[in-house]
Amino acid sequence: LLLKSSCYLTVSVFLAAADPVHVLPGSLGRGSWCDEHDTIHERLDIIEEKVIKTVEHLESEVKSLLNIINETTSNIPIIPGTPLTDIFDGQY
């Protein structure tokens, strides 16, 4: 609602400044560019919602995978004297 009224105001001010003789108060409608602007914002809102839901889903999946890895590694018996290998050290 605020966006729509601000578009109307912008159109009114712009047109009044361009040709004050032919502009009658209250006769200005919303321009088609303003409708396109609203449509773009509605689409962006939908995309934002989908991105947020996707990120939340991925966070949940990563947490589950990390829990599985943690449970798996904590259950591996370590034989005394066996050197520990860091899988993240970059050496192959």
Side-chain angles (χ1 to χ4, degrees):
L1 183 63
L2 179 61
L3 179 60
K4 292 179 181 180
S5 60
S6 65
C7 284
Y8 178 77
L9 177 64
T10 304
V11 172
S12 299
V13 170
F14 176 74
L15 291 176
D19 190 3
V21 176
H22 292 97
V23 175
L24 299 174
S27 66
L28 296 175
R30 290 169 42 95
S32 64
W33 67 270
C34 202
D35 292 334
E36 291 174 13
H37 180 82
D38 290 345
T39 301
I40 289 171
H41 275 281
E42 289 171 4
R43 289 180 181 171
L44 287 174
D45 290 342
I46 292 169
I47 291 170
E48 180 182 17
E49 185 178 328
K50 288 181 179 182
V51 168
I52 289 170
K53 287 181 180 180
T54 301
V55 168
E56 289 172 351
H57 176 75
L58 290 173
E59 285 177 341
S60 173
E61 291 294 319
V62 168
K63 285 179 184 178
S64 295
L65 289 171
L66 289 174
N67 285 336
I68 291 169
I69 291 170
N70 189 32
E71 291 171 8
T72 303
T73 56
S74 65
N75 293 330
I76 297 174
I78 299 176
I79 301 170
T82 304
L84 297 176
T85 305
D86 184 0
I87 62 170
F88 299 109
D89 69 358
Q91 296 177 2
Y92 299 101

